Amino acid sequence: MPRPTHDTSTILDAAGRILGAEGLAKVTMAAVIREAGVPSGSLYYRFPDRPALLAALWNRAIESYHRDAYPLFEGDPVEAAAALAAYTVRWCEAEPAHAHVLLAGRSRFDADAWPDAARQAEAAESVRWNQSIRGLTRRLRAETSVPITEILLVVVDLPYGAVRRYLGGDTPIPADLAEVVAGIVRTSLR
Protein backbone atom coordinates (compact mmCIF):
# COMPACT_ATOMS: atom_id res chain seq x y z
CA MET A 1 0.00 0.00 0.00
CA PRO A 2 1.56 3.37 -1.00
CA ARG A 3 2.35 5.82 1.76
CA PRO A 4 0.42 9.09 1.64
CA THR A 5 2.47 12.11 0.80
CA HIS A 6 2.13 15.35 2.70
CA ASP A 7 3.47 18.36 0.90
CA THR A 8 5.04 21.41 2.45
CA SER A 9 2.07 23.61 1.55
CA THR A 10 -0.27 21.45 3.64
CA ILE A 11 1.97 21.92 6.65
CA LEU A 12 2.43 25.66 6.15
CA ASP A 13 -1.29 26.14 5.53
CA ALA A 14 -1.98 24.44 8.85
CA ALA A 15 0.54 26.67 10.63
CA GLY A 16 -1.09 29.73 9.05
CA ARG A 17 -4.56 28.65 10.18
CA ILE A 18 -3.32 28.19 13.74
CA LEU A 19 -1.65 31.59 13.72
CA GLY A 20 -4.80 33.29 12.40
CA ALA A 21 -7.11 31.58 14.89
CA GLU A 22 -4.98 31.38 18.02
CA GLY A 23 -1.88 33.54 17.62
CA LEU A 24 1.77 32.87 16.90
CA ALA A 25 2.55 31.37 20.31
CA LYS A 26 0.17 28.49 19.51
CA VAL A 27 2.08 27.57 16.34
CA THR A 28 3.93 24.63 17.83
CA MET A 29 5.21 21.54 16.10
CA ALA A 30 2.60 19.39 17.88
CA ALA A 31 -0.24 21.78 17.00
CA VAL A 32 0.80 21.83 13.34
CA ILE A 33 0.98 18.04 13.22
CA ARG A 34 -2.58 17.84 14.60
CA GLU A 35 -3.96 20.62 12.37
CA ALA A 36 -2.33 19.33 9.20
CA GLY A 37 -3.14 15.70 9.96
CA VAL A 38 0.38 14.63 9.07
CA PRO A 39 2.73 12.20 10.76
CA SER A 40 5.41 13.85 12.86
CA GLY A 41 8.07 12.51 10.51
CA SER A 42 6.55 14.46 7.61
CA LEU A 43 6.81 17.69 9.56
CA TYR A 44 10.27 17.09 11.02
CA TYR A 45 11.62 15.91 7.66
CA ARG A 46 10.83 19.34 6.19
CA PHE A 47 11.34 21.47 9.30
CA PRO A 48 13.75 20.18 11.92
CA ASP A 49 12.49 22.68 14.51
CA ARG A 50 10.03 25.50 15.15
CA PRO A 51 12.37 28.29 13.92
CA ALA A 52 12.71 26.53 10.56
CA LEU A 53 8.93 26.20 10.35
CA LEU A 54 8.40 29.86 11.26
CA ALA A 55 11.02 30.95 8.72
CA ALA A 56 9.27 29.04 5.95
CA LEU A 57 5.90 30.44 7.02
CA TRP A 58 7.23 34.01 6.97
CA ASN A 59 9.14 33.68 3.71
CA ARG A 60 6.19 32.07 1.94
CA ALA A 61 3.84 34.87 3.03
CA ILE A 62 6.31 37.55 1.92
CA GLU A 63 6.81 35.87 -1.44
CA SER A 64 3.06 35.62 -1.93
CA TYR A 65 2.54 39.31 -1.17
CA HIS A 66 5.53 40.67 -3.08
CA ARG A 67 5.17 38.55 -6.23
CA ASP A 68 2.28 40.55 -7.72
CA ALA A 69 3.09 43.82 -5.97
CA TYR A 70 6.38 44.63 -7.74
CA PRO A 71 4.82 45.53 -11.10
CA LEU A 72 2.59 48.08 -9.33
CA PHE A 73 5.56 50.34 -8.54
CA GLU A 74 5.81 51.48 -12.19
CA GLY A 75 4.21 54.53 -13.77
CA ASP A 76 2.77 57.63 -12.17
CA PRO A 77 3.85 57.54 -8.51
CA VAL A 78 0.49 58.61 -7.04
CA GLU A 79 -1.35 55.99 -9.09
CA ALA A 80 1.32 53.43 -8.20
CA ALA A 81 0.81 54.19 -4.51
CA ALA A 82 -2.97 53.91 -4.85
CA ALA A 83 -2.65 50.64 -6.78
CA LEU A 84 -0.30 49.22 -4.16
CA ALA A 85 -2.71 50.18 -1.37
CA ALA A 86 -5.68 48.60 -3.14
CA TYR A 87 -3.62 45.50 -3.93
CA THR A 88 -2.68 45.14 -0.26
CA VAL A 89 -6.32 45.12 0.81
CA ARG A 90 -7.32 42.67 -1.94
CA TRP A 91 -4.38 40.41 -1.20
CA CYS A 92 -5.27 40.31 2.51
CA GLU A 93 -8.82 39.36 1.57
CA ALA A 94 -7.67 36.63 -0.80
CA GLU A 95 -4.84 35.34 1.41
CA PRO A 96 -5.98 35.74 5.05
CA ALA A 97 -3.57 33.15 6.45
CA HIS A 98 -0.62 34.91 4.78
CA ALA A 99 -1.99 38.27 5.88
CA HIS A 100 -2.06 37.11 9.51
CA VAL A 101 1.61 36.19 9.18
CA LEU A 102 2.59 39.65 7.92
CA LEU A 103 0.37 41.44 10.41
CA ALA A 104 2.03 39.51 13.25
CA GLY A 105 5.34 41.11 12.23
CA ARG A 106 8.74 39.60 11.50
CA SER A 107 10.12 40.45 14.94
CA ARG A 108 7.77 37.92 16.52
CA PHE A 109 9.04 35.09 14.31
CA ASP A 110 12.35 34.54 16.16
CA ALA A 111 14.35 35.28 13.00
CA ASP A 112 17.70 35.06 14.80
CA ALA A 113 17.11 31.32 15.23
CA TRP A 114 16.19 30.68 11.58
CA PRO A 115 18.38 28.45 9.42
CA ASP A 116 21.03 30.42 7.52
CA ALA A 117 19.45 29.83 4.10
CA ALA A 118 16.07 31.15 5.30
CA ARG A 119 17.67 34.24 6.86
CA GLN A 120 19.62 34.94 3.69
CA ALA A 121 16.52 34.55 1.50
CA GLU A 122 14.55 36.86 3.77
CA ALA A 123 17.34 39.43 3.87
CA ALA A 124 17.69 39.47 0.08
CA GLU A 125 13.95 39.91 -0.40
CA SER A 126 13.85 42.64 2.26
CA VAL A 127 16.57 44.56 0.42
CA ARG A 128 14.66 44.30 -2.87
CA TRP A 129 11.36 45.36 -1.27
CA ASN A 130 12.87 48.22 0.69
CA GLN A 131 14.55 49.54 -2.46
CA SER A 132 11.21 49.51 -4.24
CA ILE A 133 9.46 51.31 -1.37
CA ARG A 134 12.28 53.88 -1.12
CA GLY A 135 12.15 54.47 -4.86
CA LEU A 136 8.40 55.04 -4.80
CA THR A 137 8.72 57.27 -1.73
CA ARG A 138 11.38 59.41 -3.45
CA ARG A 139 9.25 59.73 -6.57
CA LEU A 140 6.20 60.68 -4.51
CA ARG A 141 8.19 63.20 -2.49
CA ALA A 142 9.57 64.80 -5.66
CA GLU A 143 6.17 65.00 -7.33
CA THR A 144 3.97 65.95 -4.38
CA SER A 145 6.22 67.54 -1.71
CA VAL A 146 4.34 65.45 0.87
CA PRO A 147 6.64 64.65 3.83
CA ILE A 148 8.15 61.16 3.82
CA THR A 149 6.55 60.28 7.16
CA GLU A 150 3.11 61.04 5.72
CA ILE A 151 3.86 59.12 2.53
CA LEU A 152 4.82 56.02 4.50
CA LEU A 153 1.78 56.35 6.75
CA VAL A 154 -0.59 56.59 3.82
CA VAL A 155 1.05 54.13 1.41
CA VAL A 156 2.34 51.45 3.79
CA ASP A 157 0.49 51.69 7.10
CA LEU A 158 -3.03 52.68 6.00
CA PRO A 159 -3.80 49.52 3.99
CA TYR A 160 -2.68 47.26 6.84
CA GLY A 161 -4.59 49.32 9.37
CA ALA A 162 -7.70 49.12 7.21
CA VAL A 163 -7.68 45.32 7.07
CA ARG A 164 -6.44 44.62 10.61
CA ARG A 165 -9.84 45.20 12.20
CA TYR A 166 -11.49 42.70 9.86
CA LEU A 167 -8.80 40.03 9.97
CA GLY A 168 -8.52 40.31 13.73
CA GLY A 169 -12.25 39.92 14.19
CA ASP A 170 -12.85 37.25 11.56
CA THR A 171 -15.17 39.69 9.82
CA PRO A 172 -15.26 39.78 6.02
CA ILE A 173 -13.34 42.65 4.47
CA PRO A 174 -15.89 44.97 2.83
CA ALA A 175 -16.00 44.66 -0.94
CA ASP A 176 -15.34 48.36 -1.43
CA LEU A 177 -12.49 48.70 1.08
CA ALA A 178 -9.72 48.42 -1.54
CA GLU A 179 -11.16 51.31 -3.55
CA VAL A 180 -11.84 53.38 -0.42
CA VAL A 181 -8.22 52.96 0.68
CA ALA A 182 -6.93 53.76 -2.83
CA GLY A 183 -9.09 56.90 -2.86
CA ILE A 184 -7.69 58.06 0.48
CA VAL A 185 -4.16 57.50 -0.82
CA ARG A 186 -4.86 59.56 -3.95
CA THR A 187 -6.49 62.38 -1.97
CA SER A 188 -3.67 62.48 0.58
CA LEU A 189 -0.95 62.57 -2.05
CA ARG A 190 -2.49 65.02 -4.52
Side-chain angles (χ1 to χ4, degrees):
M1 179 171 202
R3 290 177 11 160
T5 59
H6 305 284
D7 66 10
T8 301
S9 290
T10 300
I11 293 167
L12 294 176
D13 289 347
R17 286 191 302 275
I18 295 166
L19 186 150
E22 302 177 48
L24 186 59
K26 298 292 185 175
V27 180
T28 64
M29 300 300 266
V32 171
I33 290 166
R34 280 191 305 276
E35 178 69 22
V38 299
S40 61
S42 290
L43 176 68
Y44 284 101
Y45 175 77
R46 288 164 181 81
F47 308 107
D49 54 24
R50 185 172 186 263
L53 173 68
L54 294 180
L57 186 61
W58 178 264
N59 284 338
R60 182 176 81 150
I62 287 294
E63 191 278 326
S64 172
Y65 175 65
H66 289 181
R67 178 182 50 244
D68 294 328
Y70 282 119
L72 302 175
F73 286 92
E74 302 302 320
D76 174 74
V78 173
E79 286 308 311
L84 183 61
Y87 166 77
T88 300
V89 173
R90 287 187 191 109
W91 178 83
C92 288
E93 182 178 22
E95 300 286 345
H98 286 141
H100 281 290
V101 169
L102 298 189
L103 290 172
R106 180 187 176 276
S107 64
R108 298 191 56 222
F109 277 73
D110 197 20
D112 291 340
W114 290 1
D116 287 340
R119 274 188 305 191
Q120 291 168 5
E122 189 276 334
E125 182 54 30
S126 287
V127 166
R128 181 180 179 211
W129 182 257
N130 290 337
Q131 287 173 341
S132 296
I133 291 291
R134 276 194 297 278
L136 179 59
T137 301
R138 280 192 298 271
R139 290 172 43 223
L140 285 165
R141 178 82 174 118
E143 182 169 308
T144 66
S145 299
V146 172
I148 290 175
T149 303
E150 186 174 342
I151 290 170
L152 291 174
L153 176 67
V154 171
V155 175
V156 178
D157 298 332
L158 172 65
Y160 285 118
V163 297
R164 185 178 299 277
R165 71 176 11 220
Y166 300 103
L167 290 173
D170 269 343
T171 305
I173 293 173
D176 64 341
L177 186 61
E179 289 312 313
V180 169
V181 169
I184 292 169
V185 169
R186 283 185 193 97
T187 300
S188 296
L189 297 176
R190 291 230 186 257

